[in-house]
Amino acid sequence: MKLDQPIGVFDSGVGGLTVAREIWRQMPRESLLYFGDTGRVPYGGRPPEEIIRFSRQIIPFLMDEGAKLVVVACNTSSALALPHIRGEFSVPIVGLIEPGAGAALVASRNGKIGMLATEGTVKSGAYQKAVEDGGMQAYAQACPALVPLIEAGQVGSPEIHAALEGYLEPLRSAGADTVLLACTHYPFLEREIRAIMGPGVKLVDPAERVVARAREILTAGGLLNTGARGEDRFYVSGDPGDFQKVGSRLLGTVLPGCSKAVLDESGRRFFVPAEGEMKWSKKL
Ligand code: DGL
């Protein structure tokens, strides 16, 4: 393993960029290898078997492209797939659930933690269990309308505002003093959520802790990059132009060019159409 190998990051779409920006902040020498599964977004309403299958395609792709560690920058995959696949790969894999729940448990004063997440994450019960094991109460709200609107570049739209009003109402009625943003797309809505919930409610984004955890693992393994920073690389299974446009707008910075990578359904083969040409990778 070489120190200048990238950190692999994946999500269903642009949500993982909220984790990517935290990697850039905490580990400025590390380069990123990002996969956004925009051809199959949203993940939130998909059955667990499908989410597991997708992770089993994406992680080998990231490894084959040189990832020295993988951050699962998707709560749905962290909740539904990670417990089943964690031991299958030879690189460290970090997920969001423990870091996210841990941050919320520290933030809450009244012991009532609200969480906004996808249907899949809510149904998994993973965050509720972690919060309840920490001695606090969890109020989980599924928000199926949000990810498609964010992917469509609708942040700031009346539709998002109306959806948030509805999703946040039960958390306000429950008296939650903390709201966990348990989907990596939602930190892009932080300003709007704050405006609806008011200044007394803390918002928790798991990204800071999950990246701190990745940093600890790399440090312990002697794998933090000490030399020159490599290039960031972005791949998506959908339209690269859409991803670059929406992602750049959300981050407020121009993302580098993005390539298309369609992962093979049948196993661990994949192909990367580059410059109009189909190139088959080796069978892993
Ligand atoms: N951003 C992902 C998450 O954290 C997935 C959202 C989706 O595709 O539904 O759960």
Side-chain angles (χ1 to χ4, degrees), residues 6 9 13 24 35 56 66 70 93 97 104 139 184 189 209 242 257 271:
V9 175
W24 286 323
F35 181 79
R56 284 197 173 120
V70 172
I93 301 179
I97 308 300
Y139 303 90
T184 51
L189 308 178
R209 278 210 182 194
D242 287 350
F271 57 88

Side-chain angles (χ1 to χ4, degrees), residues 10-16 18 37 40-46 51 72-78 96 117-121 127 143-144 146-148 151 181-186:
F10 76 91
D11 178 43
S12 59
V14 293
T18 61
D37 205 357
R40 302 189 288 200
V41 68
Y43 275 10
R46 292 179 182 272
I51 301 296
V72 183
C74 170
N75 290 269
T76 312
S77 306
S78 297
L96 288 153
T118 66
E119 286 170 288
T121 301
Y127 269 120
C143 312
L146 297 180
V147 166
E151 288 287 330
L181 305 178
C183 168
T184 51
H185 283 72
Y186 303 166

